[in-house]
Amino acid sequence: MNNALMLHPGFILMAVGWVAMLVPKMLRKFVLALGPLAAVYAALQLEIGTEVVVPFVHDLQLHIMYVDKLSWIFSFIFSVLALVSGIYAAHNENRMEALCCMCYAGGAIAVCLAQDWLTFIFFWESLAVTSLFLVWCNPTYAATRAGFRYMLVHMLGGGILLAGIFLINYTDHNLIIQSLTNRPQGWAYWLVMLGMFINVAMPPVNAWLVDAYANSTLTGGVFMSCLTTKVAVYALIRVFGGTELLMWGGVLMALYGALYAIMENDMRKLLAHHIISQTGFMVAGAGIGTAMAMNGATAHAFCDILFKSLLFMCAGAVIYATGIKEINKVGGMAKKLPLVCVCFFSAAFSIAGIPLFNGFISKAITVNAAAAAGHSVVYTLLELAAIGTFLSIPLKMGYFIFLRSDDKGATVVNPLPINMKIAMSISAFLCFLYGVYPDLLYRHLPFEMEPYVPFTGPHILQYVQMLGMAMIPFMMYLNKMEPHTAISLDTDWFYRRPFAFIVGRLSALFCALCAGLGGAWGVIYEKFMDLTSNPMDFLDAKPFRKRSHYNPENYRTSIADPMMITLTVLVSSIAYFIATMQ
């Protein structure tokens, strides 16, 4: 058991985070860049069926690690993400950010390897804590507000999930994680699902993601773009795979995120909307529930971690170099940042599903699984969402940031550190490698299915036609496609504004009530003090005017009275003491 725990990649990453925080800054870059290699090695050494159980309290045991095909593939790609993102962040001197990045990735792996609900919820909540500081490490007012909102949402989601876990234990007396798809749909079922929906950013509880991820640190955002939502996808596949509600929720996410991304001007907000959209493909695959669909969801999560982290790296590199985050304020970056341009289009072609890039080999499995399962409407809507992805990232971001003429005056004021270039190059290579050799991924997919061949003539032709349909309107309306600076209202407006109004009015009412009660108590207290300080003077006031002849000097209490009372009490006490002694 001890040897197995030593090979827990999540615990290794947490140790790397603590070491990175404690060592001098000259060593920190090497710890962040090379430390995650140990986690990647440990993930590769994990054997299917490995199980680690430790005693907890009484007869309760914690199943810290259980390795099956599903948990292994998520653990492996999270370890790879930690390695590449650690290289990208190696120049960062912030100790807290170094700690939280690695502990965040380690917690994500620990969730995937957990086999019991207590271990699961502990590390699930650790994700919220560590990722929160990746937002607050950005010293801006907007980041402070976004982080506070992020914390409130995740506390709510974690509390709901924990309530569902308590109910599961109360009814089943079993904390081992099992599928809830075919169990009675009681309170436990819906509470667990709702808690996971919040972490996966299912509309209408999705606005926290865009708000927090766009305001995180540049390096922390690379980690955040891939961990929380993908952990929730893993949980939905394991716990609710085959639940039809997920299928339609995933379709909603895919369309919703793609639509908002088309309207967005902030680089990282646009990419955050596409986190919701691409996660929708995975959630839909989990909901379809066939082996092909859930393999598609797993494969797309794997590939999304590679290309989405690279997109955030490229956006962060542009912001780092120019100090500008708005798309309509930059241009001509292909000449000024050529390596970033190449890496960006590698990730953009991947997320759009263009052949020879990894998004093509993963997204197609889920989409075609919907058609194979007879869900023609789902198939059509997911294809429509894919067109929206092509419009907003390769075309919109690619053209306005990198390819259009340099007429915005944006200049490179900060040269990119070499570690950022290395990290982006590694990710771009992996996006291409898995796109060309899909069997590197397919042979590790967790569910048994017929061999899937993505490179067929009809399939390639289908994507070429679909992408051509997206390019034509973009070129026709190019002068109107530049993003605007207006704020796009999200679903949170419909509950945030009324909630603020209600809280504000209730607070005003409560304050007025407190002030009124305080004033009334003040009057009562003053009258009471008048009575106790000099009763006869109080009686001489209205309505006791007939006692106006009262003179306080004539009614002063004699000193003999308190002396007699004191003497009486003393003698009585002595007599009682003597009586009890006898």
Side-chain angles (χ1 to χ4, degrees):
M1 181 184 72
N2 292 332
N3 293 335
L5 277 179
M6 292 292 291
L7 288 176
H8 194 302
F11 294 168
I12 292 174
L13 287 178
M14 294 177 194
V16 169
W18 283 102
V19 173
M21 185 188 73
L22 296 174
V23 299
K25 64 181 181 180
M26 291 300 297
L27 295 177
R28 187 174 304 121
K29 62 179 67 177
F30 297 103
V31 174
L32 288 174
L34 301 178
L37 272 174
V40 175
Y41 173 79
L44 289 172
Q45 297 303 309
L46 290 178
E47 297 181 359
I48 304 301
T50 302
E51 185 174 3
V52 176
V53 181
V54 297
F56 187 45
V57 291
H58 298 293
D59 58 347
L60 185 63
Q61 295 180 322
L62 297 180
H63 297 253
I64 299 294
M65 181 166 64
Y66 177 73
V67 184
D68 61 7
K69 289 185 176 181
L70 181 62
S71 61
W72 182 87
I73 194 169
F74 275 90
S75 299
F76 173 71
I77 190 58
F78 286 156
S79 301
V80 173
L81 169 72
L83 173 62
V84 178
S85 301
I87 296 173
Y88 184 83
H91 67 281
N92 197 331
E93 298 182 1
N94 190 311
R95 295 177 182 270
M96 178 60 72
E97 188 173 342
L99 169 66
C100 291
C101 283
M102 291 300 160
C103 289
Y104 182 31
I109 295 174
V111 171
C112 295
L113 292 176
Q115 196 186 13
D116 69 273
W117 283 112
L118 286 182
T119 305
F120 179 94
I121 190 64
F122 176 81
F123 288 110
W124 180 278
E125 287 297 90
S126 77
L127 300 182
V129 175
T130 50
S131 57
L132 169 64
F133 285 96
L134 298 183
V135 181
W136 278 348
C137 281
N138 185 10
T140 64
Y141 178 68
T144 301
R145 289 172 58 88
F148 186 71
R149 182 188 193 186
Y150 183 82
M151 176 183 65
L152 291 177
V153 171
H154 282 281
M155 287 175 61
L156 173 64
I160 292 172
L161 178 58
L162 182 60
I165 292 172
F166 282 155
L167 288 177
I168 290 174
N169 185 54
Y170 177 76
T171 56
D172 297 348
H173 304 289
N174 183 10
L175 286 173
I176 299 297
I177 298 175
Q178 298 175 343
S179 175
L180 302 181
T181 301
N182 296 320
R183 70 169 288 148
Q185 296 181 5
W187 280 102
Y189 178 94
W190 293 111
L191 288 173
V192 171
M193 181 179 286
L194 179 58
M196 293 180 179
F197 275 2
I198 291 176
N199 264 38
V200 86
M202 178 78 71
V205 286
N206 61 287
W208 61 267
L209 186 150
V210 178
D211 191 27
Y213 288 18
N215 286 292
S216 65
T217 63
L218 294 179
T219 53
V222 177
F223 286 84
M224 295 182 72
S225 67
C226 298
L227 292 176
T228 297
T229 51
K230 305 310 175 293
V231 168
V233 167
Y234 161 83
L236 289 173
I237 293 173
R238 183 169 292 282
V239 180
F240 292 104
T243 302
E244 188 174 356
L245 177 62
L246 298 187
M247 179 179 69
W248 295 109
V251 170
L252 172 64
M253 293 176 68
L255 292 170
Y256 189 90
L259 175 64
Y260 266 80
I262 293 173
M263 299 185 292
E264 187 55 61
N265 185 38
D266 185 291
M267 297 180 198
R268 294 204 296 170
K269 283 187 177 181
L270 187 155
L271 296 177
H273 283 300
H274 267 296
I275 293 175
I276 299 172
S277 180
Q278 296 304 307
T279 302
F281 284 86
M282 307 166 207
V283 174
I288 294 170
T290 62
M292 181 180 179
M294 291 198 290
N295 274 343
T298 305
H300 200 51
F302 186 100
C303 294
D304 183 85
I305 288 170
L306 294 176
F307 60 66
K308 190 62 60 58
S309 62
L310 179 54
L311 286 169
F312 266 82
M313 288 182 197
C314 294
V318 173
I319 297 171
Y320 181 94
T322 64
I324 300 172
K325 63 180 181 179
E326 293 83 5
I327 296 173
N328 62 355
K329 294 182 181 180
V330 295
M333 288 294 125
K335 294 181 179 179
K336 300 172 185 177
L337 299 170
L339 177 62
V340 177
C341 178
V342 172
C343 294
F344 171 83
F345 277 103
S346 176
F349 291 162
S350 296
I351 194 173
I354 292 177
L356 301 183
F357 293 89
N358 66 352
F360 176 77
I361 70 159
S362 61
K363 185 183 296 184
I365 303 179
T366 301
V367 175
N368 289 332
H375 300 292
S376 56
V377 175
V378 174
Y379 170 83
T380 304
L381 293 177
L382 290 179
E383 291 284 37
L384 184 62
I387 294 175
T389 302
F390 186 68
L391 272 172
S392 56
I393 293 187
L395 294 182
K396 176 182 171 180
M397 290 188 72
Y399 175 77
F400 287 108
I401 296 176
F402 294 99
L403 301 182
R404 70 170 166 178
S405 59
D406 182 14
D407 57 355
K408 297 296 181 179
T411 58
V412 175
V413 295
N414 295 312
L416 295 180
I418 185 65
N419 59 287
M420 294 177 72
K421 297 179 180 179
I422 293 173
M424 289 186 291
S425 300
I426 294 173
S427 292
F429 172 74
L430 292 176
C431 288
F432 180 73
L433 177 66
Y434 281 101
V436 175
Y437 297 104
D439 191 58
L440 292 175
L441 172 60
Y442 287 173
R443 65 189 179 197
H444 296 295
L445 294 179
F447 305 99
E448 296 294 332
M449 72 172 189
E450 293 293 326
Y452 181 78
V453 181
F455 297 110
T456 62
H459 185 204
I460 295 175
L461 181 61
Q462 172 191 0
Y463 266 77
V464 171
Q465 291 173 338
M466 184 176 63
L467 299 179
M469 290 171 58
M471 186 176 295
I472 292 173
F474 181 84
M475 300 303 296
M476 289 177 60
Y477 298 98
L478 185 60
N479 59 337
K480 297 183 179 180
M481 291 299 293
E482 183 173 1
H484 56 75
T485 56
I487 297 174
S488 300
L489 295 179
D490 210 333
T491 53
D492 65 319
W493 186 89
F494 294 99
Y495 53 83
R496 178 171 48 84
R497 292 297 297 270
F499 183 73
F501 176 82
I502 293 172
V503 170
R505 293 300 181 269
L506 288 177
S507 297
L509 178 62
F510 183 74
C511 290
L513 181 62
C514 290
L517 292 175
W521 172 248
V523 173
I524 295 172
Y525 180 75
E526 290 177 2
K527 295 299 182 182
F528 181 76
M529 289 299 295
D530 290 343
L531 173 63
T532 56
S533 61
N534 198 331
M536 300 307 297
D537 187 45
F538 178 81
L539 292 173
D540 190 50
K542 293 180 181 180
F544 304 102
R545 286 187 178 275
K546 61 182 180 181
R547 302 222 28 182
S548 59
H549 64 278
Y550 165 70
N551 184 354
E553 294 297 328
N554 295 336
Y555 292 93
R556 182 182 298 172
T557 303
S558 172
I559 193 173
D561 294 339
M563 291 181 64
M564 179 59 68
I565 294 173
T566 303
L567 183 60
T568 302
V569 172
L570 180 61
V571 171
S572 300
S573 300
I574 294 173
Y576 176 78
F577 178 75
I578 295 174
T580 54
M581 289 295 291
Q582 294 176 349

